[in-house]
Amino acid sequence: MRFKQILSAAMLCSISVLACAGAAFTDTTGIPEQADIDYAVSRGLFNGTDETHFSPGEPLTRAQAVAVLARQARVQGLPADTFAGVPDTSYYSNALGWACESGIIQGTSATTFEPDRPVTHAELAAILTRYQTWLGREDPTFETSGSGAVTRAQAAAYFTALDHALLDRDTTLLTHNAADGVTLTGKLDLPAGSEPVDRLVLFINGSGPNTYDNKRQYGEQTFNYFDLFAEQFGMRETGFFRWSTRGVSMGDQPPSFDTIDEAVYQTYLPSTSVSDIGEWITQLRQNPRLQDADIWLLGWSEGTIIAPLAAKAYPDEISGLLLAGYCNDRMDVIFDWQQSGEPSMIFYRQYFDTDGDGSISEAEYTADPYNIVTSVLADTPFADIDADSDGAITAADFAILLEPGKQAFYDAVARGDDAWLAENYSVRLTSGWFRAHQALQPNSEVLPTLDLPIHIFHGTADTNCSVEGVYAIRDQFAALGKTNLTTHVYGGYDHNLLYDLYVINGAVPPAFVDLFQSITTG
């Protein structure tokens, strides 16, 4: 149910932002706040009162204030259910749900919100101060000038000033010559200015080729994967750094927009991934703004294996770990699970298992309530999937179907056949990389040796890494009496924690809000 609510909220958010795009107002020309209004509308913070009017002199209502604030934060939220007279379908209900849950706004009583009541300067200053406190900013105080009700024009000016204060940042490209002679390239984002930065997050990539932008394509839209991280960490006065995989540079061809130097890419191994972290930290510390910064590692997928190893190798430098799409086992064990049929059943259960028994009968498959058989499975007959012919689709069927490919994969790794891997494996990796991972300690052994704060973020519909690994490490920490691990598990979320929602509508998915907020709470 929560997953469906989030998707509905995403669509509402998308529609409300599009409605104000490109607006041209006849009632703002020449007023002192015209530039601020134009900026706030272009950013999708404000809508007009109709297609040609902004109504700058009208008061900002409490409903409008909370809606604009949620757009600035890029949050979706869920409908507020505390107050009478706030319909779930109202344009501000989801924003109000988030703002109340986050302690940013209160009702006018325990059961009323009074959405149409004008906001005073003092009230708006208090709301924006609490918002900046929620973001974990060192000086959260926001001051307004004037008294009485805030007009919509004045509000546009206040929110424009806030937007710049939160989003302005300095971006620098860095290069580093590693100890083995390989040249590395990274990108550093810091909050604008010259003040020391208290926190710096280093992103530890998942497996395969990655660049410091990770430019990607979604339909006709292109985007940089890391822009979201740089923006949201910057709003929390936190620096963000990422770098390209060894041998990988920016390219101009979709879908991955990268080029690979095959010889250098062979040096991309777990050992060099760890040592590169240490060398980058040494270089970053030369920046006067980062000399005393707490450094957190944010690892995704393979990065959740590399980051703990780096924390173990550089204990005096790493202050905490954020691990998303968590791998509790070695890569070969995870690969075996991926070929076991269980990940396939996550998909099939979601769309076909109407009786909830964990398997798919022929009747359920034929009923096809979401039209998946035709639209996704190309009308594949039930019998072609029911490999063991027992009348039900289960993980055992997919294990049978996947076995030949699995064996061919392991044979290619054993003989060092990188050409076969490049042609047949979905992620561009080398046999040396796989063999090196087989020799590593799993996270189930490494993580319990660490005493720094650790946060894990994982979806139950992750088909890359089983959520059972999260439950196992959580129980392991509990049995050891260790309290430095916090697990965040999201029902129905995939390996990317619904990142696609951000690409679709610009709103930060709830799991990402939790991830970004965790850096402020430790």
Side-chain angles (χ1 to χ4, degrees):
M1 181 63 180
R2 179 179 171 84
F3 179 61
K4 292 179 179 178
Q5 286 177 308
I6 290 168
L7 289 176
S8 298
M11 294 306 297
L12 286 172
C13 179
S14 179
I15 291 168
S16 67
V17 171
L18 289 173
C20 70
F25 303 119
T26 60
D27 58 356
T28 61
T29 303
I31 67 173
E33 299 90 354
Q34 181 180 357
D36 294 318
I37 293 170
D38 290 344
Y39 173 86
V41 170
S42 71
R43 278 274 292 123
L45 303 180
F46 276 83
N47 297 325
T49 52
D50 60 38
E51 291 185 358
T52 59
H53 294 85
F54 185 78
S55 303
E58 288 188 6
L60 181 77
T61 67
R62 286 166 57 81
Q64 292 169 357
V66 73
V68 173
L69 187 62
R71 292 171 195 149
Q72 200 291 320
R74 292 188 183 271
V75 297
Q76 297 172 127
L78 293 174
D81 56 7
T82 304
F83 305 114
V86 178
D88 286 354
T89 56
S90 65
Y91 74 92
Y92 63 90
S93 179
N94 292 55
L96 179 59
W98 159 74
C100 288
E101 182 180 3
S102 303
I104 296 169
I105 198 167
Q106 295 96 28
T108 53
S109 74
T111 58
T112 58
F113 178 67
E114 295 186 54
D116 297 325
R117 198 185 81 181
V119 174
T120 68
H121 282 77
E123 287 172 334
L124 185 60
I127 290 169
L128 298 185
T129 295
R130 286 193 291 267
Y131 172 50
Q132 294 197 99
T133 300
W134 178 76
L135 289 171
R137 295 179 67 84
E138 185 174 356
D139 181 9
T141 303
F142 190 95
E143 296 182 354
T144 59
S145 57
S147 59
V150 178
T151 66
R152 284 172 52 83
Q154 291 171 328
Y158 290 140
F159 275 98
T160 294
L162 175 70
D163 207 54
H164 285 301
L166 296 183
L167 297 184
D168 288 355
R169 58 183 188 267
D170 299 325
T171 303
T172 309
L173 288 181
L174 301 176
T175 59
H176 173 73
N177 292 321
D180 61 357
V182 172
T183 299
L184 306 176
T185 307
K187 180 181 278 190
L188 174 66
D189 279 281
L190 297 177
S194 58
E195 295 297 314
V197 175
D198 291 336
R199 297 179 297 264
L200 175 67
V201 172
L202 274 60
F203 192 97
I204 316 303
N205 283 310
S207 56
N210 293 276
T211 67
Y212 55 72
D213 277 340
N214 266 357
K215 185 177 180 180
R216 295 292 184 260
Q217 188 164 12
Y218 188 96
E220 298 299 316
Q221 179 182 1
T222 58
F223 64 96
N224 292 333
Y225 176 81
F226 288 126
D227 286 353
L228 170 63
F229 295 87
E231 175 193 274
Q232 290 292 313
F233 281 126
M235 289 170 62
R236 291 158 175 84
E237 296 180 313
T238 298
F240 181 65
F241 182 69
R242 62 283 194 192
W243 62 97
S244 300
T245 307
R246 285 169 163 251
V248 182
S249 57
M250 299 288 292
D252 57 7
Q253 294 299 312
S256 56
F257 298 93
D258 59 33
T259 59
I260 300 176
D261 182 321
E262 296 294 343
V264 178
Y265 193 64
Q266 291 285 335
T267 72
Y268 160 45
L269 301 166
S271 58
T272 54
S273 294
V274 171
S275 62
D276 289 348
I277 292 171
E279 293 186 35
W280 273 123
I281 290 174
T282 298
Q283 177 165 332
L284 290 164
R285 289 295 191 195
Q286 296 175 16
N287 186 323
R289 300 186 67 191
L290 298 174
Q291 288 179 353
D292 298 317
D294 290 337
I295 293 178
W296 285 65
L297 303 183
L298 167 52
W300 213 292
S301 200
E302 183 204 0
T304 69
I305 295 174
I306 301 301
L309 293 174
K312 192 173 181 179
Y314 312 110
D316 295 333
E317 291 286 6
I318 311 302
S319 298
L321 299 178
L322 307 173
L323 308 177
Y326 172 73
C327 303
N328 197 45
D329 297 301
R330 296 190 317 268
M331 276 296 177
D332 57 313
V333 178
I334 291 170
F335 177 77
D336 286 344
W337 178 78
Q338 291 172 348
Q339 304 301 305
S340 71
E342 288 297 336
S344 301
M345 287 305 297
I346 290 174
F347 170 82
Y348 276 77
R349 291 183 188 117
Q350 182 175 3
Y351 291 105
F352 295 102
D353 187 16
T354 54
D355 64 8
D357 68 351
S359 63
I360 312 303
S361 68
E362 185 168 7
E364 288 175 314
Y365 185 81
T366 303
D368 191 18
Y370 298 98
N371 195 35
I372 297 297
V373 175
T374 297
S375 63
V376 178
L377 302 178
D379 292 315
T380 301
F382 177 85
D384 287 1
I385 304 174
D386 183 19
D388 59 10
S389 301
D390 67 350
I393 296 175
T394 64
D397 295 308
F398 292 105
I400 294 170
L401 297 171
L402 293 169
E403 180 59 32
K406 174 183 174 182
Q407 190 55 54
F409 165 83
Y410 275 123
D411 289 346
V413 171
R415 66 177 181 267
D417 192 344
D418 289 348
W420 187 94
L421 291 172
E423 181 69 22
N424 295 281
Y425 192 61
S426 59
V427 181
R428 180 67 180 89
L429 294 166
T430 67
S431 56
W433 181 92
F434 280 107
R435 288 194 298 270
H437 265 284
Q438 288 175 316
L440 294 180
Q441 277 186 294
N443 262 335
S444 58
E445 296 177 10
V446 175
L447 232 59
T449 68
L450 302 176
D451 295 322
L452 74 178
I454 303 169
H455 289 260
I456 292 176
F457 306 85
H458 205 97
T460 61
D462 189 328
T463 58
N464 290 49
C465 308
S466 173
V467 70
E468 295 301 325
V470 179
Y471 300 144
I473 196 68
R474 178 198 63 190
D475 294 345
Q476 192 175 350
F477 268 64
L480 293 169
K482 293 177 68 71
T483 59
N484 59 309
L485 172 66
T486 304
T487 58
H488 312 257
V489 176
Y490 303 91
Y493 283 40
D494 60 9
H495 188 63
N496 294 317
L497 299 177
L498 302 188
Y499 182 95
D500 287 357
L501 292 183
Y502 165 70
V503 181
I504 293 169
N505 60 46
V508 182
F512 281 84
V513 175
D514 293 342
L515 189 155
F516 297 131
Q517 282 298 102
S518 67
I519 199 70
T520 68
T521 57

